Amino acid sequence: MVATAHNAIPSDYAVPVSIREFLRVPSDPQWVMDAAAHLPTILLDHANCELKAASTALSLMHRYPLRTTLVQRMSRLAREELRHFEQVSRVIREREIASRTLSASGYAAGLMADVDKREPGKLIDTLIVGAMIEARSCERFALIAPKLDDDLAKFYRGLLASEARHFEHYLTLGRDAAEATAMDFDARLAAWLEHEAALINRPATQIRFHSGPLSV
């Protein structure tokens, strides 16, 4: 079933192979259509997502200051996410999109709700969740790009490499943390990926960057 779902993604969407092989299911094609039809909302929510991603990286640095590799990678990641926020904010200003407060899609909160409350599971789960969110973001950048005007399509395609790199960093850090505790990382990751697959395409009443397709 997974192979069929992956093959259903048109080749011109250019979702990186590593992302397609990692995620259990592709985004519902209807989400792509809904997102393109509500572009101002998607751009505003994308800006929010970049801020949240930077905040997550900074939080990990504060929570685990003795993990040198993690701190170094999260520091770079936070700077990149803030730069992306600035870039999306510039697009919003240039297109004269009015700022407004948006509710969250519930996707990230739905994932974080099941993070282990105890260490070392808490760290490992948080890193896995980070990897899944970055991977899904990368996929959606690739999926929506062909539906946009040339300038915006170029912008989103330009984000693919960094999002794919962020996904790899989170995954590597999670695997390293698990190996240090003799935890079965692959089994834990597989369970998380099934959880993410169950969340991402749930019909939504409001379109968001990480929501499912609109239900109405």
mmCIF file of all heavy atoms in Angstrom, residues 188-213:
data_model
loop_
_atom_site.group_PDB
_atom_site.id
_atom_site.type_symbol
_atom_site.label_atom_id
_atom_site.label_comp_id
_atom_site.label_asym_id
_atom_site.label_seq_id
_atom_site.Cartn_x
_atom_site.Cartn_y
_atom_site.Cartn_z
ATOM 1 N N ARG A 188 10.494 2.234 17.460
ATOM 2 C CA ARG A 188 9.865 3.462 17.972
ATOM 3 C C ARG A 188 9.518 4.396 16.814
ATOM 4 O O ARG A 188 8.422 4.968 16.760
ATOM 5 C CB ARG A 188 10.834 4.148 18.940
ATOM 6 C CG ARG A 188 10.165 5.136 19.896
ATOM 7 C CD ARG A 188 11.187 5.681 20.884
ATOM 8 N NE ARG A 188 10.579 6.454 21.953
ATOM 9 C CZ ARG A 188 10.313 5.990 23.157
ATOM 10 N NH1 ARG A 188 10.611 4.735 23.452
ATOM 11 N NH2 ARG A 188 9.747 6.759 24.081
ATOM 12 N N LEU A 189 10.436 4.538 15.865
ATOM 13 C CA LEU A 189 10.202 5.396 14.709
ATOM 14 C C LEU A 189 9.021 4.889 13.880
ATOM 15 O O LEU A 189 8.177 5.675 13.429
ATOM 16 C CB LEU A 189 11.461 5.458 13.846
ATOM 17 C CG LEU A 189 11.347 6.225 12.525
ATOM 18 C CD1 LEU A 189 10.992 7.687 12.770
ATOM 19 C CD2 LEU A 189 12.656 6.119 11.743
ATOM 20 N N ALA A 190 8.960 3.584 13.674
ATOM 21 C CA ALA A 190 7.869 3.006 12.881
ATOM 22 C C ALA A 190 6.513 3.328 13.497
ATOM 23 O O ALA A 190 5.549 3.670 12.785
ATOM 24 C CB ALA A 190 8.056 1.494 12.749
ATOM 25 N N ALA A 191 6.421 3.230 14.808
ATOM 26 C CA ALA A 191 5.161 3.541 15.489
ATOM 27 C C ALA A 191 4.798 5.011 15.326
ATOM 28 O O ALA A 191 3.632 5.362 15.090
ATOM 29 C CB ALA A 191 5.265 3.176 16.966
ATOM 30 N N TRP A 192 5.792 5.873 15.424
ATOM 31 C CA TRP A 192 5.546 7.305 15.254
ATOM 32 C C TRP A 192 5.101 7.638 13.836
ATOM 33 O O TRP A 192 4.226 8.485 13.630
ATOM 34 C CB TRP A 192 6.808 8.098 15.611
ATOM 35 C CG TRP A 192 6.880 8.489 17.051
ATOM 36 C CD1 TRP A 192 7.722 7.999 18.006
ATOM 37 C CD2 TRP A 192 6.068 9.458 17.714
ATOM 38 N NE1 TRP A 192 7.493 8.600 19.218
ATOM 39 C CE2 TRP A 192 6.476 9.512 19.067
ATOM 40 C CE3 TRP A 192 5.028 10.295 17.296
ATOM 41 C CZ2 TRP A 192 5.889 10.364 19.999
ATOM 42 C CZ3 TRP A 192 4.435 11.147 18.225
ATOM 43 C CH2 TRP A 192 4.861 11.167 19.554
ATOM 44 N N LEU A 193 5.705 7.001 12.867
ATOM 45 C CA LEU A 193 5.336 7.272 11.475
ATOM 46 C C LEU A 193 3.895 6.853 11.190
ATOM 47 O O LEU A 193 3.192 7.523 10.418
ATOM 48 C CB LEU A 193 6.306 6.562 10.529
ATOM 49 C CG LEU A 193 7.694 7.193 10.440
ATOM 50 C CD1 LEU A 193 8.662 6.266 9.716
ATOM 51 C CD2 LEU A 193 7.629 8.549 9.736
ATOM 52 N N GLU A 194 3.452 5.788 11.801
ATOM 53 C CA GLU A 194 2.059 5.378 11.647
ATOM 54 C C GLU A 194 1.133 6.420 12.288
ATOM 55 O O GLU A 194 0.056 6.717 11.756
ATOM 56 C CB GLU A 194 1.832 4.000 12.272
ATOM 57 C CG GLU A 194 2.525 2.864 11.540
ATOM 58 C CD GLU A 194 2.059 2.717 10.097
ATOM 59 O OE1 GLU A 194 0.866 2.998 9.821
ATOM 60 O OE2 GLU A 194 2.888 2.347 9.247
ATOM 61 N N HIS A 195 1.555 6.949 13.408
ATOM 62 C CA HIS A 195 0.771 7.981 14.095
ATOM 63 C C HIS A 195 0.674 9.227 13.211
ATOM 64 O O HIS A 195 -0.415 9.812 13.051
ATOM 65 C CB HIS A 195 1.434 8.293 15.436
ATOM 66 C CG HIS A 195 0.704 9.293 16.277
ATOM 67 N ND1 HIS A 195 -0.665 9.459 16.239
ATOM 68 C CD2 HIS A 195 1.153 10.187 17.199
ATOM 69 C CE1 HIS A 195 -1.029 10.411 17.096
ATOM 70 N NE2 HIS A 195 0.064 10.863 17.684
ATOM 71 N N GLU A 196 1.793 9.642 12.648
ATOM 72 C CA GLU A 196 1.799 10.818 11.773
ATOM 73 C C GLU A 196 0.908 10.597 10.559
ATOM 74 O O GLU A 196 0.160 11.502 10.147
ATOM 75 C CB GLU A 196 3.238 11.118 11.336
ATOM 76 C CG GLU A 196 3.453 12.489 10.728
ATOM 77 C CD GLU A 196 3.185 12.573 9.228
ATOM 78 O OE1 GLU A 196 3.061 11.504 8.595
ATOM 79 O OE2 GLU A 196 3.109 13.693 8.675
ATOM 80 N N ALA A 197 0.962 9.406 10.001
ATOM 81 C CA ALA A 197 0.154 9.091 8.822
ATOM 82 C C ALA A 197 -1.332 9.183 9.132
ATOM 83 O O ALA A 197 -2.140 9.579 8.266
ATOM 84 C CB ALA A 197 0.498 7.687 8.313
ATOM 85 N N ALA A 198 -1.708 8.834 10.346
ATOM 86 C CA ALA A 198 -3.113 8.893 10.737
ATOM 87 C C ALA A 198 -3.591 10.321 10.950
ATOM 88 O O ALA A 198 -4.791 10.610 10.849
ATOM 89 C CB ALA A 198 -3.334 8.079 12.012
ATOM 90 N N LEU A 199 -2.666 11.233 11.254
ATOM 91 C CA LEU A 199 -3.031 12.618 11.532
ATOM 92 C C LEU A 199 -3.073 13.510 10.295
ATOM 93 O O LEU A 199 -3.953 14.375 10.173
ATOM 94 C CB LEU A 199 -2.024 13.234 12.519
ATOM 95 C CG LEU A 199 -2.098 12.834 13.989
ATOM 96 C CD1 LEU A 199 -0.951 13.496 14.751
ATOM 97 C CD2 LEU A 199 -3.435 13.249 14.589
ATOM 98 N N ILE A 200 -2.146 13.336 9.371
ATOM 99 C CA ILE A 200 -1.878 14.361 8.371
ATOM 100 C C ILE A 200 -3.026 14.594 7.402
ATOM 101 O O ILE A 200 -3.239 15.718 6.936
ATOM 102 C CB ILE A 200 -0.559 14.054 7.598
ATOM 103 C CG1 ILE A 200 -0.146 15.247 6.740
ATOM 104 C CG2 ILE A 200 -0.697 12.783 6.772
ATOM 105 C CD1 ILE A 200 0.091 16.521 7.516
ATOM 106 N N ASN A 201 -3.776 13.582 7.052
ATOM 107 C CA ASN A 201 -4.814 13.747 6.031
ATOM 108 C C ASN A 201 -6.232 13.772 6.590
ATOM 109 O O ASN A 201 -7.201 13.625 5.841
ATOM 110 C CB ASN A 201 -4.686 12.643 4.976
ATOM 111 C CG ASN A 201 -3.474 12.848 4.080
ATOM 112 O OD1 ASN A 201 -3.107 13.986 3.764
ATOM 113 N ND2 ASN A 201 -2.843 11.757 3.678
ATOM 114 N N ARG A 202 -6.351 13.981 7.897
ATOM 115 C CA ARG A 202 -7.688 14.102 8.466
ATOM 116 C C ARG A 202 -8.369 15.341 7.890
ATOM 117 O O ARG A 202 -7.776 16.426 7.851
ATOM 118 C CB ARG A 202 -7.613 14.234 9.994
ATOM 119 C CG ARG A 202 -7.284 12.936 10.710
ATOM 120 C CD ARG A 202 -7.285 13.129 12.213
ATOM 121 N NE ARG A 202 -6.996 11.889 12.917
ATOM 122 C CZ ARG A 202 -6.861 11.790 14.231
ATOM 123 N NH1 ARG A 202 -6.990 12.869 14.985
ATOM 124 N NH2 ARG A 202 -6.605 10.622 14.798
ATOM 125 N N PRO A 203 -9.615 15.223 7.441
ATOM 126 C CA PRO A 203 -10.327 16.395 6.902
ATOM 127 C C PRO A 203 -10.350 17.533 7.910
ATOM 128 O O PRO A 203 -10.480 17.311 9.122
ATOM 129 C CB PRO A 203 -11.735 15.849 6.633
ATOM 130 C CG PRO A 203 -11.527 14.382 6.421
ATOM 131 C CD PRO A 203 -10.419 13.993 7.357
ATOM 132 N N ALA A 204 -10.190 18.756 7.411
ATOM 133 C CA ALA A 204 -10.084 19.926 8.273
ATOM 134 C C ALA A 204 -11.169 20.940 7.933
ATOM 135 O O ALA A 204 -11.638 21.010 6.792
ATOM 136 C CB ALA A 204 -8.710 20.569 8.110
ATOM 137 N N THR A 205 -11.543 21.734 8.917
ATOM 138 C CA THR A 205 -12.508 22.807 8.670
ATOM 139 C C THR A 205 -11.814 24.090 8.250
ATOM 140 O O THR A 205 -12.448 24.996 7.703
ATOM 141 C CB THR A 205 -13.352 23.076 9.926
ATOM 142 O OG1 THR A 205 -12.477 23.398 11.021
ATOM 143 C CG2 THR A 205 -14.177 21.848 10.289
ATOM 144 N N GLN A 206 -10.493 24.183 8.506
ATOM 145 C CA GLN A 206 -9.710 25.353 8.108
ATOM 146 C C GLN A 206 -8.398 24.875 7.500
ATOM 147 O O GLN A 206 -7.730 24.004 8.067
ATOM 148 C CB GLN A 206 -9.432 26.257 9.316
ATOM 149 C CG GLN A 206 -10.692 26.859 9.929
ATOM 150 C CD GLN A 206 -10.374 27.716 11.147
ATOM 151 O OE1 GLN A 206 -9.678 27.283 12.070
ATOM 152 N NE2 GLN A 206 -10.872 28.940 11.162
ATOM 153 N N ILE A 207 -8.029 25.439 6.379
ATOM 154 C CA ILE A 207 -6.802 25.024 5.712
ATOM 155 C C ILE A 207 -5.589 25.590 6.446
ATOM 156 O O ILE A 207 -5.572 26.758 6.843
ATOM 157 C CB ILE A 207 -6.786 25.469 4.229
ATOM 158 C CG1 ILE A 207 -5.674 24.752 3.467
ATOM 159 C CG2 ILE A 207 -6.700 26.979 4.091
ATOM 160 C CD1 ILE A 207 -5.907 23.283 3.268
ATOM 161 N N ARG A 208 -4.603 24.760 6.665
ATOM 162 C CA ARG A 208 -3.351 25.157 7.280
ATOM 163 C C ARG A 208 -2.219 24.414 6.576
ATOM 164 O O ARG A 208 -2.455 23.452 5.848
ATOM 165 C CB ARG A 208 -3.330 24.824 8.779
ATOM 166 C CG ARG A 208 -4.368 25.580 9.599
ATOM 167 C CD ARG A 208 -4.045 27.055 9.710
ATOM 168 N NE ARG A 208 -4.970 27.750 10.599
ATOM 169 C CZ ARG A 208 -6.089 28.362 10.212
ATOM 170 N NH1 ARG A 208 -6.431 28.354 8.918
ATOM 171 N NH2 ARG A 208 -6.862 28.990 11.075
ATOM 172 N N PHE A 209 -0.982 24.831 6.855
ATOM 173 C CA PHE A 209 0.146 24.200 6.166
ATOM 174 C C PHE A 209 0.266 22.726 6.494
ATOM 175 O O PHE A 209 0.667 21.922 5.669
ATOM 176 C CB PHE A 209 1.451 24.939 6.492
ATOM 177 C CG PHE A 209 2.468 24.744 5.413
ATOM 178 C CD1 PHE A 209 2.537 25.620 4.339
ATOM 179 C CD2 PHE A 209 3.343 23.662 5.429
ATOM 180 C CE1 PHE A 209 3.451 25.422 3.322
ATOM 181 C CE2 PHE A 209 4.253 23.460 4.422
ATOM 182 C CZ PHE A 209 4.309 24.349 3.358
ATOM 183 N N HIS A 210 -0.112 22.352 7.709
ATOM 184 C CA HIS A 210 -0.043 20.950 8.103
ATOM 185 C C HIS A 210 -1.420 20.352 8.386
ATOM 186 O O HIS A 210 -1.530 19.372 9.130
ATOM 187 C CB HIS A 210 0.850 20.770 9.334
ATOM 188 C CG HIS A 210 2.298 21.035 9.069
ATOM 189 N ND1 HIS A 210 2.950 22.146 9.563
ATOM 190 C CD2 HIS A 210 3.208 20.355 8.338
ATOM 191 C CE1 HIS A 210 4.215 22.122 9.153
ATOM 192 N NE2 HIS A 210 4.393 21.054 8.418
ATOM 193 N N SER A 211 -2.446 20.924 7.801
ATOM 194 C CA SER A 211 -3.781 20.351 7.982
ATOM 195 C C SER A 211 -4.056 19.304 6.919
ATOM 196 O O SER A 211 -3.285 19.140 5.971
ATOM 197 C CB SER A 211 -4.844 21.451 7.892
ATOM 198 O OG SER A 211 -5.048 21.846 6.545
ATOM 199 N N GLY A 212 -5.183 18.616 7.061
ATOM 200 C CA GLY A 212 -5.672 17.779 5.979
ATOM 201 C C GLY A 212 -6.449 18.641 5.001
ATOM 202 O O GLY A 212 -6.532 19.865 5.147
ATOM 203 N N PRO A 213 -7.047 18.026 3.987
ATOM 204 C CA PRO A 213 -7.856 18.789 3.038
ATOM 205 C C PRO A 213 -9.123 19.308 3.710
ATOM 206 O O PRO A 213 -9.556 18.792 4.755
ATOM 207 C CB PRO A 213 -8.198 17.752 1.959
ATOM 208 C CG PRO A 213 -8.126 16.443 2.679
ATOM 209 C CD PRO A 213 -7.029 16.579 3.693
#
